[in-house]
Amino acid sequence: MSVAIKDDEIDIVIGAVRSDLTSFLNEWRPMFSRFHLIIVKDPDLKEELKIPEGFNLDVYEKPYMDRVVGSSTSVLFSGYACRYFGYLVSRKKYIISIDDDCLPARDPKGFVVDAVSHHITNLTTPATPFFFNTLYDPFAEGSDFVRGYPFSLRSGVKCALSCGLWLNLGDYDAPTQALKAKQRNSRYVDAVMTVPAGSLVPISGINIAFDREVLGPALVPALKLAGEGKFRWETMEDIWSGLCVKVVCDHLGLGVKTGLPYVWRTDRGDPIASLKKEWEGVKLMEEVVPFFQSVRLPREATTVEDCVVEVANAAKERLGSTDPVFARAAKAMLDWVNLWKSVGYISSSSSAV
Amino acid sequence: MATVSPTPLLKDELDIVIPTIRNLDFLEMWRPFFQPYHLIIVQDGDPSKTIKVPEGFDYELYNRNDINRVLGPKASCISFKDSACRCFGYMVSKKKYIYTIDDDCFVAKDPSGKDINALEQHIKNLLCPSTPFFFNTLYEPYRDGADFVRGYPFSLREGVPTAVSHGLWLNIPDYDAPTQLVKPLERNTRYVDAIMTIPKGTLFPMCGMNLAFNRELIGPAMYFGLMGDGQPIGRYDDMWAGWCTKVICDHLGLGVKTGLPYIWHSKASNPFVNLQKEYKGIYWQEELIPFFQSVTLPKDCTTVQKCYIEISKQVKAKLGKVDDYFNKLADAMVTWIEAWDELNPSPSGIKPAELPNGATK
C-alpha cells in the first residue's frame, strides 16, 4: 500500500553518543547501506569516531557545528540532542533516527526486522487519528477498517511521525528500571496504530522516523535536564520534543503512528547510578504533561514554525517561573526555529497536506 | 507492578449474557471456562421455539414473551428479531460484571497453540485500572513484563477504574457489508498481543461479539438501541451502545480497554443481508460521529443514568432532523433508563455510578 519511495529521499541520522560505531553500523549494514547516512558526533565526546567502511555518509563534528550555528548555539546539540543537527542539515524528505546502542530485532518467526522499511511504510500510508480502529492499522496486509468506522474518515491523513518500539531494554525511566532490574521487554506486539488526535503520548527518541519536509522544526532540541547525561535515563529531551510534535500534528491535522518496527536495545548503563545523577526529569513530567495537554494553538498558526513558536511562548509564560529548565527550553525552541529558517533550507511552510 | 496471584474467578459476581436464535452448541467448547458461571440467555426471534441448552449449565432464559411480561409497555425499548435484545440480559442481571458473547464465537488459540480463556482475560482487564489520560507506548502498563514508559507522569500511574473490556476476533473479522463484499475471503490472522486503554476523547466502534463490562459502573449506558424488526436499521446496536458508553466513560473518568482476549469468530453473515440492514447506518454514521464527538455533558450529570438521559435529549434535538428514527430512539433511551431503574433500584443514598469498584489489582 505504500507509495514507492526513492532511496535518495531518505537520510538515516545517527547521533553518536559513543565513539565506536563499528558493530552498530555493521549490524545495520543490510538495512542501511542503500541510504545516505548522517552521523553527528556528540560535541562533548572526546574520542575519535570509529566508523566501518562501505557506507555513503557524512559525519558532522563540533568544529563544523560551531561554524554553521555558532559555538553558543551548538550547545543545543550536546548529548542525545546531537542528532537534531543532523535533522537541520539534512536535505531529504524522510529521516530515520535510531540510537547508537540499538541493533536490528527479530520478529517471533525469527526474521530480522527491517526497521527502515517499516518506518517508511508507516510514513507513506495514511494515519487515522480521528477515530480508533480496533484492528489497528487498517492499511496493513490482512487488515481493514472495522464495522462502524465512518467512511468519510477512511482516507486518513498524512503520517508525519512514526514511533517504533524496543525489545530487550525497554524505554523505562530510571526508577522503574531500577525497581525491576531484571525486567526486559520480550513482548512483540504485531501492530502499528495511530495515536488518536487530542491524545498525548511520551515519544521515545530511540527509534523514530519522520517526514522532514512536513514537520520541519517541530522536533525540538529544547529540554535539557540539569543532570543530563549520556544514558536515556538521564534525559527527557525526546519526551518534550515528542509532546511538542504531537500538539503540532493534532493542530495541523497530521498523524503520528506508534508500534512496529522494533529494534533490539542493548543492555547498557545502570539505572540506579543514573537515578542518583539525574532524578528531576521524572518530577518535571508532572508539570510538562499538563502543560502540553492544555496548550491551544490559535487558528492563525498554520505553519509548523508558527506552531512551535506558539508552544515556546506558552511554555515560557506558563512554565518559565516554575523551573529555569523550562525558560531555557522555551528559548531553545525559538533559537531552533530561527536556525531552521536560516540553515534548515528546505522550507517546511506547508500546513496540513 | 506484576502480580503473581491468579485471576479471581468471580463466579458469583459475573453473568454471561448470550443472545441466540439458533442453538447453544457452541457452549460445549466453552464449557471448561464458562461452566462455573450463571448464564442469561436472551432468545431472539420466535418465542415458540425451544432453545436447547447443553447439560450442566446454570442459566435463566428469556424469550420475547418473558421480556414483555417483565417490562410490560416498556418492552418497546428492547429490539425484536435482532441480537440487540441481549441488553435485556444486562438489565435483569443482578451481578456486578457482564460478559457477552455471540453464539458463533468459539475458543481461539494463542500463537503457542494454547486455548485462550477469554473470560479470564476480560476479568483481568476489568479488575485492573485503565489509563485514558496519557497513551502508554508499551500498551497496558499493568501487564506482566510491561510498565509505564519513560516520560509517563507518576501522578497518572494509578489509573482509573475500568468500565469496559472490548475483546477482538480471529478468523472472520468484524467488517461492514461493503468491506465484506469487496474482501469476502479476508481472515484476521494477526494476533496482536496487547491490551490498551482507548484515550479519553477518542471514539471507537464497539463490537458486542466479545465484550465485558462492569455493570455497576456503566450498565445503564449499554443500551443496544432499536434494531431489527420494524426498525430501519440493524447491525448498529453495539456501535450505538459503544459511542454512548465512551462519551459517558470519558465524562465520569472511567476507562475503556480494547485488545486481548481474542475469540474465534466462525460464521460470516451474509453480506447482502448485512448491507440491507446497515446501509442507512453507513450514511447516518457520518452525522452520528460528529454528534458524539461534540457531545458535552454538564457537570451535574454525575451518574450514568443522568448522563444517558442528557444524551437522549441531545439525540432528539440534534439527530431528530436527520431521521425520525432518532426521535423514537431518544424516547427508547429514556424508556430503557426507566426500566433499568425499576429493575435495579439503588440502595438509598448511593448512586450507582459512584459505587466503589471493589477489587482492584
Side-chain angles (χ1 to χ4, degrees):
Chain A
M1 238 259 37
S2 54
V3 172
I5 300 194
K6 298 193 275 285
D7 292 351
D8 63 4
E9 287 184 280
I10 297 168
D11 259 338
I12 299 184
V13 173
I14 306 298
V17 176
R18 302 179 305 155
S19 57
D20 190 350
L21 298 178
T22 318
S23 57
F24 170 78
L25 285 174
N26 278 333
E27 291 280 342
W28 284 103
R29 192 183 291 272
M31 267 90 42
F32 282 7
S33 58
R34 282 157 58 199
F35 304 103
H36 176 249
L37 271 64
I38 290 179
I39 308 219
V40 186
K41 184 180 167 191
D42 174 3
D44 304 331
L45 194 57
K46 299 285 176 268
E47 296 86 3
E48 285 282 316
L49 286 184
K50 283 205 195 68
I51 295 173
E53 294 284 319
F55 289 95
N56 168 19
L57 50 75
D58 284 298
V59 182
Y60 297 102
E61 303 193 11
K62 186 168 180 348
Y64 182 81
M65 286 157 74
D66 288 345
R67 271 209 320 276
V68 172
V69 305
S71 54
S72 57
T73 316
S74 71
V75 71
L76 267 181
F77 304 114
S78 88
Y80 278 98
C82 63
R83 51 163 62 178
Y84 292 90
F85 185 83
Y87 303 164
L88 184 68
V89 299
S90 165
R91 294 294 171 258
K92 301 291 167 65
K93 179 161 168 64
Y94 299 103
I95 288 187
I96 295 167
S97 199
I98 296 175
D99 275 8
D100 64 5
D101 57 0
C102 294
L103 302 175
R106 281 182 189 275
D107 69 19
K109 293 196 172 78
F111 295 115
V112 175
V113 172
D114 184 346
V116 174
S117 91
H118 260 120
H119 274 303
I120 294 303
T121 302
N122 291 348
L123 291 174
T124 53
T125 50
T128 50
F130 303 120
F131 204 70
F132 191 90
N133 192 45
T134 48
L135 281 187
Y136 315 109
D137 182 3
F139 301 103
E141 192 71 45
S143 186
D144 212 307
F145 290 97
V146 295
R147 174 174 59 95
Y149 203 106
F151 276 78
S152 62
L153 295 180
R154 295 192 188 198
S155 34
V157 299
K158 180 181 271 293
C159 178
L161 180 68
S162 164
C163 313
L165 295 173
W166 347 269
L167 290 172
N168 194 45
L169 201 65
D171 193 13
Y172 297 131
D173 54 42
T176 306
Q177 190 73 72
L179 200 58
K180 294 178 161 187
K182 290 196 168 41
Q183 176 148 308
R184 296 293 179 269
N185 186 27
S186 55
R187 183 173 287 124
Y188 186 96
V189 178
D190 185 11
V192 175
M193 63 201 75
T194 300
V195 183
S199 175
L200 292 184
V201 52
I203 293 174
S204 166
I206 294 174
N207 171 20
I208 56 168
F210 63 100
D211 186 326
R212 183 188 177 281
E213 207 171 88
V214 165
L215 279 187
L219 281 90
V220 293
L223 188 72
K224 194 171 259 356
L225 301 178
E228 183 171 283
K230 312 303 181 186
F231 294 95
R232 279 288 183 193
W233 291 313
E234 297 160 11
T235 67
M236 284 290 185
E237 59 83 13
D238 50 350
I239 306 299
W240 177 280
S241 175
L243 290 168
C244 178
V245 170
K246 186 60 168 62
V247 164
V248 171
C249 283
D250 284 353
H251 179 77
L252 297 179
L254 300 166
V256 173
K257 291 185 187 174
T258 186
L260 303 178
Y262 282 87
V263 295
W264 178 270
R265 194 162 170 245
T266 51
D267 279 79
R268 196 166 81 83
D270 171 6
I272 297 177
S274 288
L275 191 54
K276 282 186 195 156
K277 189 167 166 253
E278 193 350 287
W279 59 275
E280 299 242 6
V282 166
K283 206 172 67 134
L284 290 177
M285 284 300 120
E286 299 299 331
E287 315 284 339
V288 170
V289 172
F291 162 70
F292 277 101
Q293 282 173 333
S294 67
V295 166
R296 298 285 176 268
L297 295 173
R299 229 197 306 242
E300 301 78 45
T302 53
T303 67
V304 170
E305 286 87 351
D306 288 348
C307 292
V308 176
V309 167
E310 288 288 333
V311 175
N313 291 337
K316 180 165 170 217
E317 194 185 303
R318 288 188 239 166
L319 292 176
S321 49
T322 315
D323 190 306
V325 76
F326 295 130
R328 286 195 292 270
K331 178 170 184 309
M333 288 169 79
L334 295 174
D335 289 345
W336 172 248
V337 172
N338 289 332
L339 251 189
W340 194 275
K341 284 182 186 156
S342 57
V343 181
Y345 198 73
I346 297 177
S347 166
S348 49
S349 58
S350 56
S351 52
V353 178
Chain B
M1 300 300 168
T3 174
V4 187
S5 50
T7 311
L9 264 185
L10 299 185
K11 65 179 180 65
D12 297 320
E13 294 178 73
L14 185 146
D15 274 337
I16 304 180
V17 173
I18 306 168
T20 186
I21 51 168
R22 355 169 205 251
N23 61 60
L24 294 168
D25 292 346
F26 86 117
L27 282 176
E28 278 306 334
M29 200 190 184
W30 286 103
R31 192 183 285 276
F33 304 131
F34 284 6
Q35 190 146 347
Y37 299 90
H38 179 70
L39 312 181
I40 296 180
I41 297 161
V42 186
Q43 181 182 342
D44 190 12
D46 181 2
S48 64
K49 194 162 170 239
T50 309
I51 301 287
K52 191 169 167 300
V53 184
E55 288 288 318
F57 284 99
D58 168 43
Y59 70 95
E60 53 194 291
L61 188 148
Y62 298 91
N63 62 27
R64 188 72 207 183
N65 298 335
D66 300 312
I67 295 173
N68 290 337
R69 177 177 47 81
V70 171
L71 293 183
K74 295 198 176 74
S76 59
C77 73
I78 302 296
S79 300
F80 189 44
K81 295 219 174 123
D82 194 285
S83 65
C85 64
R86 72 175 83 206
C87 62
F88 176 79
Y90 311 156
M91 195 194 278
V92 297
S93 166
K94 300 281 168 270
K95 303 286 172 58
K96 183 168 174 177
Y97 302 99
I98 297 278
Y99 175 47
T100 184
I101 183 171
D102 280 11
D103 63 10
D104 60 354
C105 293
F106 292 83
V107 177
K109 289 191 190 292
D110 69 19
S112 75
K114 183 163 163 261
D115 280 352
I116 298 170
N117 183 346
L119 186 48
E120 185 184 59
Q121 184 64 57
H122 277 298
I123 291 171
K124 275 198 187 126
N125 294 347
L126 289 173
L127 290 182
C128 94
S130 297
T131 51
F133 304 123
F134 201 55
F135 193 92
N136 192 45
T137 48
L138 281 187
Y139 315 110
E140 172 88 293
Y142 308 105
R143 258 185 113 183
D144 248 335
D147 212 307
F148 292 96
V149 295
R150 179 173 54 99
Y152 206 104
F154 274 79
S155 62
L156 293 181
R157 294 191 189 198
E158 259 186 42
V160 299
T162 301
V164 180
S165 167
H166 176 262
L168 297 174
W169 352 272
L170 292 171
N171 195 42
I172 309 288
D174 188 25
Y175 289 157
D176 52 47
T179 310
Q180 270 184 290
L181 284 165
V182 169
K183 297 176 161 191
L185 299 177
E186 187 152 272
R187 298 292 176 264
N188 185 24
T189 56
R190 181 177 283 114
Y191 185 94
V192 178
D193 189 2
I195 305 141
M196 65 199 74
T197 300
I198 300 183
K200 179 179 177 181
T202 301
L203 292 178
F204 77 114
M206 185 180 84
C207 173
M209 261 198 265
N210 173 23
L211 180 73
F213 58 94
N214 183 324
R215 194 178 158 278
E216 261 171 33
L217 281 183
I218 199 65
M222 283 286 183
Y223 173 48
F224 272 39
L226 288 173
M227 305 278 148
D229 227 39
Q231 305 300 341
I233 188 176
R235 285 172 51 90
Y236 271 86
D237 50 336
D238 42 5
M239 297 297 134
W240 183 263
W243 298 328
C244 293
T245 292
K246 186 59 167 58
V247 165
I248 294 175
C249 283
D250 286 351
H251 177 77
L252 294 178
L254 301 170
V256 173
K257 294 184 182 176
T258 186
L260 302 183
Y262 282 89
I263 47 86
W264 179 269
H265 184 211
S266 67
K267 197 169 178 294
S269 37
N270 183 306
F272 294 102
V273 170
N274 290 344
L275 187 57
Q276 203 160 15
K277 290 180 182 172
E278 282 175 15
Y279 87 98
K280 283 201 163 148
I282 287 175
Y283 60 84
W284 281 347
Q285 79 192 0
E286 300 297 333
E287 312 276 346
L288 297 180
I289 300 308
F291 165 77
F292 279 104
Q293 282 171 336
S294 62
V295 165
T296 50
L297 295 168
K299 249 196 277 263
D300 62 1
C301 286
T302 51
T303 67
V304 177
Q305 287 91 327
K306 284 190 185 149
C307 292
Y308 202 75
I309 298 290
E310 177 61 32
I311 293 178
S312 76
K313 290 190 188 137
Q314 296 187 30
V315 167
K316 201 161 239 194
K318 298 197 196 151
L319 297 176
K321 50 183 177 293
V322 172
D323 193 282
D324 188 50
Y325 168 76
F326 292 105
N327 288 318
K328 288 200 305 200
L329 181 57
D331 290 339
M333 290 167 77
V334 173
T335 307
W336 160 264
I337 293 295
E338 287 170 358
W340 182 284
D341 283 345
E342 241 177 66
L343 290 180
N344 300 284
S346 49
S348 60
I350 303 174
K351 300 196 169 82
E354 291 160 17
L355 283 170
N357 196 13
T360 49
K361 61 177 170 116

